[in-house]
Amino acid sequence: SQQGEEDPQALSIQEGENATMNCSYKTSINNLQWYRQNSGRGLVHLILIRSNEREKHSGRLRVTLDTSKKSSSLLITASRAADTASYFCAGRSSGNTPLVFGKGTRLSVIA
Amino acid sequence: GAGVSQSPSNKVTEKGKDVELRCDPISGHTALYWYRQSLGQGLEFLIYFQGNSAPDKSGLPSDRFSAERTGGSVSTLTIQRTQQEDSAVYLCASSPGWGGGADTQYFGPGTRLTVL
């Protein structure tokens, strides 16, 4: 079963614009993470936000978490062509359970 | 330092044959995951090893799939009597542990399996 579900499924923007991707999840989580995948192969961890945090920043990335709505958003500011990739959210329920990924958002940044 | 490695990078096999996919996690990482990703799709969780605990096999799609993790390090995913629907990229990830920051997963480059 999938813990997270990203929205939109695909997003196309111009270079320099901001990109916002949303993630909704089903059960209570211990933490929520965002990953990026280029070229359909290995994923790279971007940022982790804990259940007691509401917002976190890392460079051009800003992640928010609303546990009452079971949702998270990833904002990429001043996007670049190199940001073109698929972005996945992943959540772990409390306890010794596996991290479960959503289906991802495909972001295309057009130069 | 060395990341997660997987071998082979590509595997082409005939329907009905068995295949073994290997994952070498980052040294010292206690958690190891296997995922499957079909073209343009998300990650499908297969199996999860955490330390000496019994593995979580809840994601394995059928009894043709099995995985081992020897000595708490290297893992092998075995698919018996492969079917065409098994064609996908198989991704392995390891993490220092679980919970909080130890949850961050480090992914290997994947093995692309093609069943003819």
Side-chain angles (χ1 to χ4, degrees), chain A:
Chain A
S1 63
Q2 289 184 264
Q3 173 67 283
E5 191 162 322
E6 292 86 348
D7 167 56
Q9 291 186 353
L11 178 62
S12 183
I13 60 173
Q14 296 290 324
E15 201 167 32
E17 293 180 337
N18 297 340
T20 300
M21 289 160 273
N22 302 299
C23 168
S24 59
Y25 56 91
K26 298 173 184 175
T27 63
S28 297
I29 54 165
N30 178 275
N31 66 67
L32 189 130
Q33 305 179 40
W34 285 89
Y35 289 79
R36 182 183 69 212
Q37 184 179 38
N38 295 96
S39 305
R41 297 301 283 260
L43 282 79
V44 174
H45 177 261
L46 294 177
I47 196 165
L48 179 153
I49 186 165
R50 299 171 195 263
S51 59
N52 62 354
E53 297 176 310
R54 292 296 168 259
E55 187 171 312
K56 201 163 183 179
H57 297 255
S58 176
R60 294 184 296 113
L61 305 181
R62 174 181 157 234
V63 169
T64 62
L65 180 65
D66 187 333
T67 53
S68 67
K69 295 181 179 178
K70 291 187 170 58
S71 66
S72 174
S73 67
L74 171 66
L75 169 68
I76 303 174
T77 60
S79 63
R80 305 167 181 167
D83 295 330
T84 294
S86 290
Y87 292 81
F88 295 87
C89 67
R92 179 192 292 280
S93 302
S94 300
N96 191 12
T97 57
L99 195 64
V100 180
F101 285 75
K103 294 185 177 180
T105 291
R106 291 188 306 278
L107 173 67
S108 298
V109 181
I110 303 166

Side-chain angles (χ1 to χ4, degrees), chain B residues 14-65:
Chain B
E14 293 180 348
K15 178 181 173 181
K17 295 284 180 70
D18 297 352
V19 296
E20 283 190 353
L21 312 180
R22 178 187 169 106
C23 172
D24 283 85
I26 293 173
S27 178
H29 280 193
T30 62
L32 187 147
Y33 298 78
W34 282 99
Y35 298 91
R36 177 169 71 174
Q37 186 176 34
S38 301
L39 187 64
Q41 299 297 310
L43 275 72
E44 177 186 2
F45 164 74
L46 297 177
I47 188 169
Y48 162 51
F49 296 88
Q50 171 56 49
N52 295 322
S53 301
D56 181 337
K57 305 179 181 180
S58 61
L60 295 179
S62 77
D63 58 9
R64 296 187 294 106
F65 288 72

